Amino acid sequence: MNWKQTLFWVIIAALIYYFFLAFGVFLFQQQEESQLFVPAWWNIREQLCQPGGFCAVVGQFVIQYYRMPLLAITIQMLLLVGCGLSLYRLLQHIKPSGYHLLLAFFPLLLLLKMSIRSNYLIDGTIGLFLMHLAFLPLTRINRQKIITLYGIVSTVLLFIFTGLLSVCYAVIYTLLTAFIYPTFKQKLQGLWSLIPATLFLLCYQSFHIPVSLLEGFKPEEYLEIQLLPHYFLYYVWLQYSLLIIGVLAISGLFATFPTRHKGVKIFLSGCCLIVTLLFGKYCMPDQLDIQNRMTDELSYLAREKQWDTIINRYKGRPIQDYISLNYLNMSLAQKGELAENMFAFDQKGAKSLVAPWNQSLYMDKLLCDVHFMIGDLALAESYAMDGFTQSKRKGNARMMQRLVQISLLRGDKQLARKYLSLLQEMPFYKDWAQQYTVYLRHPEKMQEESELCYKGIPRQKQDLLLSLMTTDSLWDSYQVSNRIGWEYKGCYYLLDKQLEKFRQYITTTNYPQNQSWPRHFQEAWLILEDADSTLTGQIPVQPNIRKAYQQLKQNMNSRSQNQDIQSIYREFGQTYWFYYYFKQFKKQK
């Protein structure tokens, strides 16, 4: 390559690296914890014995080091640039031309778009990279028998390494021989590669492949909910192969143009540039990708216990979704500020504490964290198990960590030991597993662990068989000793504006007399005193809070609400009173 070509690919590599730096860092972190890869020979041997097992093993081996995001970005970038360079070399073999740089970059845009989707794994890119490497010998061989023999052998070998991607390879190989070689007999030799490819496509079940390649033609919405990674990989492989075929057709068509004239070269290059820019705009992250990036980042920050970062993220900003509110309120609770500063943020009803489950892995992780934090081990375990089964790589390491904690708290040492033995085989979980192995021998030390202390199995007063329990009834047994769980239930009543239930809950709490009640609880109690004067004095309210409430009532009585709502918000917008009197929501179930 000359310096211009080298500069082009250096710029492309830099752009790809920046793209993944902006949209891939937190996704790669989540992909790492959403697989259960034990790098032991018995596990590797079992996968290598299956077609495509090589890509699966290499992919899982790489993903386990995604805790180092810059390494993950570098590997992704090298694979994509390698695919582009290989395609460029093939196109140049058809007819050397400058616009082939753009045509070679064109299919990479699809891989960029799909690489930031949680359902797509690096296995697919590794397979495509191997496919491109298998194409390169075509630029060196010319004899008809060698072309035939290489097509058959390379298709079989690619089937062993990548699985059904070999079918796509055989089709493209056939077209490449038609475009690259000059004589008619040479062009026909690629057809022989279709014989083993057809056998693999029709008899895939005989090779213990669970999914047909044709499933990749189904809608993306259907493929995303499947529990095996094959579906979405096939979807990307087929789309990418169609783009390669289209690029070859365009290159073959443009090769017939008389490119000796400078105007023709400019016209052809301009056409390639326009098509690439339009397709690039289509492949840019959409609203779903941006939302998933936000969720991945919040999940990562929660895993790393960066509560201040989450809180500062939403200060003074409107919040539109329940996922953000759930993570925000969980962070406030972890900092001991939930019942003190919750209404300094844009709360939107009781779902701000516990969002409804939408059957996704994202919500499984969030709700598992929330319920475990407040001490609801039963629901935390159910969400952990669901998240474990929804992960497409034999389990979820993060959910297994949670199951270890729950098993230890329930006293099920045998089950906890089983989980820990698997986690000890994984590089980034070995230290954690060794730390928790100590609790098998010394369960009393769990009280020294911040995540485990004050948690246990609550005694339920209701029959659970009918599954008719409300959210707050799941938290009946929480006392002040479990401060987070106790505050969560009280705040649940406040957010749902159920002040009578809040009154019953508060009056049955044995609260320490030497501690002041949380600020929002005092604010809610003043509203109750307004409705029932006999409650005055039952809960100590600080004088400054009582004085502020009197000022609010004067403002509400002397001013027009519609005209002065902004002035009231500026003075009382961070209190429960403003939320109670001025924020209206639909009744939440």
Side-chain angles (χ1 to χ4, degrees), residues 8-77:
F8 175 84
W9 288 110
V10 168
I11 294 174
I12 292 300
L15 292 175
I16 293 174
Y17 191 91
Y18 177 78
F19 179 85
F20 283 130
L21 195 63
F23 292 99
V25 172
F26 299 109
L27 169 66
F28 298 151
Q29 297 273 355
Q30 298 309 307
Q31 286 185 340
E32 180 275 326
E33 66 183 26
S34 296
Q35 73 169 17
L36 200 66
F37 176 62
V38 178
W41 173 241
W42 60 266
N43 184 35
I44 295 174
R45 180 181 57 193
E46 178 184 349
Q47 297 188 58
L48 289 178
C49 291
Q50 301 175 355
F54 176 81
C55 281
V57 170
V58 175
Q60 292 175 84
F61 183 82
V62 171
I63 289 174
Q64 73 175 340
Y65 291 100
Y66 271 12
R67 285 285 183 97
M68 299 180 284
L70 296 184
L71 175 62
I73 292 172
T74 302
I75 293 174
Q76 293 273 4
M77 181 265 293

Side-chain angles (χ1 to χ4, degrees), residues 135 147-156 159 164-178 187-203 207 213 241 245:
F135 287 138
I147 297 172
T148 302
L149 181 62
Y150 179 75
I152 296 174
V153 172
S154 60
T155 300
V156 173
F159 176 73
L164 292 178
L165 180 61
S166 59
V167 177
C168 301
Y169 168 81
V171 174
I172 299 174
Y173 183 88
T174 301
L175 294 176
L176 274 174
T177 55
K187 293 177 183 292
L188 294 179
Q189 301 311 308
L191 292 172
W192 290 98
S193 64
L194 295 176
I195 297 176
T198 304
L199 175 66
F200 299 148
L201 178 64
L202 298 178
C203 305
F207 298 99
L213 180 66
S241 299
I245 293 172

Side-chain angles (χ1 to χ4, degrees), residues 330-428:
M330 181 167 61
S331 302
L332 290 171
Q334 292 284 2
K335 298 290 292 184
E337 301 175 5
L338 182 65
E340 294 287 339
N341 297 315
M342 177 174 63
F343 292 102
F345 299 89
D346 187 19
Q347 305 292 338
K348 299 183 182 299
K351 293 180 182 178
S352 302
L353 284 180
V354 183
W357 181 54
N358 62 4
Q359 300 182 345
S360 70
L361 178 59
Y362 287 115
M363 289 306 299
D364 280 328
K365 290 189 289 187
L366 168 59
L367 294 176
C368 178
D369 287 346
V370 170
H371 285 283
F372 183 80
M373 178 187 66
I374 62 181
D376 186 356
L377 300 186
L379 272 179
E381 184 178 33
S382 67
Y383 287 123
M385 289 301 299
D386 189 78
F388 192 88
T389 56
Q390 284 208 52
S391 299
K392 300 183 179 183
R393 275 287 172 75
K394 298 183 179 181
N396 187 298
R398 182 173 175 178
M399 295 294 98
M400 181 172 282
Q401 286 181 300
R402 187 68 75 208
L403 291 172
V404 167
Q405 294 173 323
I406 295 172
S407 299
L408 287 171
L409 290 169
R410 296 174 62 178
D412 194 343
K413 294 183 180 181
Q414 184 176 358
L415 185 59
R417 185 177 289 107
K418 176 183 177 181
Y419 293 144
L420 287 170
S421 64
L422 291 174
L423 290 172
Q424 285 178 342
E425 299 289 335
M426 303 171 67
F428 284 95

